[in-house]
Amino acid sequence: MSTTDTQATREPEAPRKTYPEVPAHIIGSAAEAVQVAHQVASSLAVGAADRDIARSIPVAELDLYSQSGLWALNIPASHGGADLSWAVIAQAIAIVSAADPSVGQLIQNHLDFIDTLRAVGTKAQQDYFFPRILKGLRTGNAFSEFGSKTAGDFETKITRDGGNYRVNGKKFYCSGAYLAHVVPIIAVDDEKRLYIAVADRHEPGLSVDTDWTSFGQRTTVSGTTIIDNVLIPPDHVFKLPEGPSANGPLCQIVHAAVDAGIARGAFDETLRFVREFARPWIDSGRDKAVEDPHTLFQLGDIAVKLRATDALLAKAGRVLDEAVTSTNAETVAAASIAVAEAKVLSTEVAILATNKLFELGGTRSVLAKYNLDRHWRNARVHTLHDPVRWKYNILGNYYLNNIRPPQHSWI
């Protein structure tokens, strides 16, 4: 089996820089954020199918995305950021993900780190990281572990070493870490308390592999990270407090936006393919596929669901804004519920739209030269992040029994 069949095509290592020499663009308004997202999407759409086939690592594409200013939208205004609504942030991510959801997804843990910095970072930590992120500092992800009992169990250990810390462990699903400037690592101490330790991407002992062999979201490079006695200074360590946190719904709204983007991309592809290549069914009595009544019905159904998904994402973003600025049990529960509703529908429409692409496009749509199956593969893989069967459960329990959702990163 060839390398391209099993893992991403290895590119030269990312430059050993604290942050890019050319400062990133700083976005100043919601309208500009949406405009920039469309510009980035237009660039990413070129070659997206080829990158999927080759499993190429999106070096230039990720630079374009993070340097656009979209990766700093939730930095507080007090530190020079636009501090935009999560409704706008979700919209921007969906726009980018419609063009290339693998690249679109890579922003998720970066935004999560910004939120953590806002919530628990000291003034010194905020003064250090926020200006660098505005200039283009890109964070990765060393969060989940492959062999733990559940997604919320961690075995990576953090220990004191004089005035510093040492971290040891093994991570997987490390989306964005390979091309990051710094890598936040989730670790636990001997009392199972959670920490985030931020390591330089090229710190001795930190090794990021490209062994992500998924059939979808193939160029997220979400492989293995080995943390071997990595030294972390104390000002790069964050202890995560117990209690209500907007972190869960914040993580989930990004995933919902990516799924909405996948659905939109597949729907647009379906419209194009039906117009250009599909034939009417023999029993339809129509001359063109665009006149087929069953095709029209099913496209109308998807269009409505896409509109509804966009509306739920926008609503969830506004509710999440309140949980971020005024964090308590009530606001966080409300955000989790609103995001869960958006995630349920975005998952369903992503699977539906990517299936209907082939049904309505006809047999020609499965030809390898079009690589349209990447839309379904991306939808099927990305929607596994947080199963919607549990979303339905927490929604029913909330509305029927007034039981708040559990608090973790998957709600």
Side-chain angles (χ1 to χ4, degrees):
M1 185 174 288
S2 69
T3 300
T4 54
D5 289 329
T6 59
Q7 64 186 54
T9 303
R10 185 174 291 278
E11 301 280 353
E13 284 285 325
R16 295 172 179 257
K17 300 174 183 175
T18 304
Y19 52 85
E21 292 178 356
V22 178
H25 175 65
I26 296 178
I27 290 172
S29 69
E32 185 185 6
V34 172
Q35 179 185 22
V36 170
H38 280 296
Q39 292 169 349
V40 170
S42 295
S43 296
L44 293 181
V46 178
D50 293 336
R51 290 193 296 274
D52 171 84
I53 291 172
R55 288 187 183 272
S56 59
I57 296 175
V59 179
E61 292 77 18
L62 191 54
D63 283 344
L64 170 71
Y65 190 17
S66 63
Q67 288 293 98
S68 70
L70 294 174
W71 284 47
L73 296 183
N74 62 329
I75 288 182
S78 59
H79 286 79
D83 203 6
L84 294 182
S85 168
W86 274 96
V88 177
I89 297 172
Q91 182 184 5
I93 294 169
I95 290 168
V96 172
S97 297
D100 188 335
S102 288
V103 177
Q105 179 187 341
L106 296 177
I107 197 173
Q108 190 250 332
N109 292 288
H110 177 91
L111 298 179
D112 176 30
F113 174 71
I114 293 174
D115 177 71
T116 299
L117 189 58
R118 291 180 60 147
V120 303
T122 64
K123 183 180 184 301
Q125 289 172 322
Q126 292 177 351
D127 289 344
Y128 177 85
F129 279 107
F130 281 145
R132 286 166 171 77
I133 293 171
L134 277 172
K135 290 182 178 180
L137 180 77
R138 192 164 61 215
T139 70
N141 157 43
F143 188 178
S144 297
E145 299 179 7
F146 197 73
S148 55
K149 181 180 179 181
T150 72
D153 293 309
F154 303 102
E155 297 177 0
T156 297
K157 296 298 293 290
I158 184 169
T159 56
R160 292 302 299 250
D161 182 0
N164 297 307
Y165 290 83
R166 294 280 179 179
V167 182
N168 288 274
K170 183 177 181 180
K171 300 288 187 174
F172 197 61
Y173 310 115
C174 297
S175 305
Y178 187 76
L179 296 176
H181 300 111
V182 296
V183 180
I185 305 164
I186 292 286
V188 294
D189 63 11
D190 289 337
E191 298 178 35
K192 296 298 182 181
R193 294 175 297 189
L194 283 172
Y195 292 79
I196 292 180
V198 184
D200 184 87
R201 166 66 180 83
H202 300 284
E203 188 71 28
L206 185 70
S207 174
V208 185
D209 205 344
T210 59
D211 55 340
W212 172 244
T213 61
S214 167
F215 64 70
Q217 294 295 92
R218 298 172 79 175
T219 61
T220 59
V221 203
S222 303
T224 300
T225 295
I226 302 296
I227 306 114
D228 184 10
N229 208 34
V230 173
L231 180 68
I232 310 289
D235 54 351
H236 284 209
V237 174
F238 303 80
K239 183 180 181 299
L240 298 182
E242 299 179 0
S245 168
N247 180 263
L250 184 151
C251 289
Q252 293 311 307
I253 197 171
V254 176
H255 288 312
V258 172
D259 293 337
I262 293 172
R264 175 64 63 181
F267 181 70
D268 290 344
E269 195 80 74
T270 305
L271 298 179
R272 181 189 67 82
F273 209 88
V274 169
R275 289 177 184 133
E276 294 182 12
F277 300 114
R279 297 185 294 179
W281 182 239
I282 189 172
D283 297 322
S284 70
R286 301 299 198 273
D287 293 327
K288 299 177 181 179
V290 296
E291 300 170 345
D292 187 313
H294 292 293
T295 295
L296 296 175
F297 172 86
Q298 294 190 53
L299 287 172
D301 178 57
I302 297 170
V304 170
K305 289 182 170 65
L306 282 171
R307 292 278 190 176
T309 300
D310 291 342
L312 284 179
L313 268 178
K315 174 191 172 185
R318 293 189 294 270
V319 178
L320 179 56
D321 291 341
E322 179 67 17
V324 170
T325 58
S326 180
T327 305
N328 57 58
E330 289 294 337
T331 59
V332 169
S336 294
I337 291 300
V339 172
E341 291 171 342
K343 187 65 175 69
V344 163
L345 194 53
S346 67
T347 293
E348 291 184 351
V349 74
I351 298 298
L352 175 66
T354 55
N355 272 328
K356 292 298 180 180
L357 169 56
F358 303 102
E359 180 179 338
L360 302 180
T363 307
R364 187 184 303 187
S365 65
V366 305
L367 296 179
K369 66 179 181 179
Y370 300 119
N371 192 27
L372 296 181
D373 60 295
R374 74 185 189 278
H375 296 288
W376 181 87
R377 290 187 283 103
N378 289 335
R380 185 60 283 174
V381 168
H382 189 263
T383 55
L384 298 176
H385 263 281
D386 36 281
V388 294
R389 64 184 181 274
W390 280 97
K391 304 293 185 188
Y392 284 112
N393 176 283
I394 67 165
L395 289 170
N397 211 16
Y398 181 79
Y399 287 119
L400 180 62
N401 299 316
N402 202 29
I403 302 297
R404 294 172 182 159
Q407 290 298 296
H408 52 66
S409 294
W410 295 271
I411 292 296

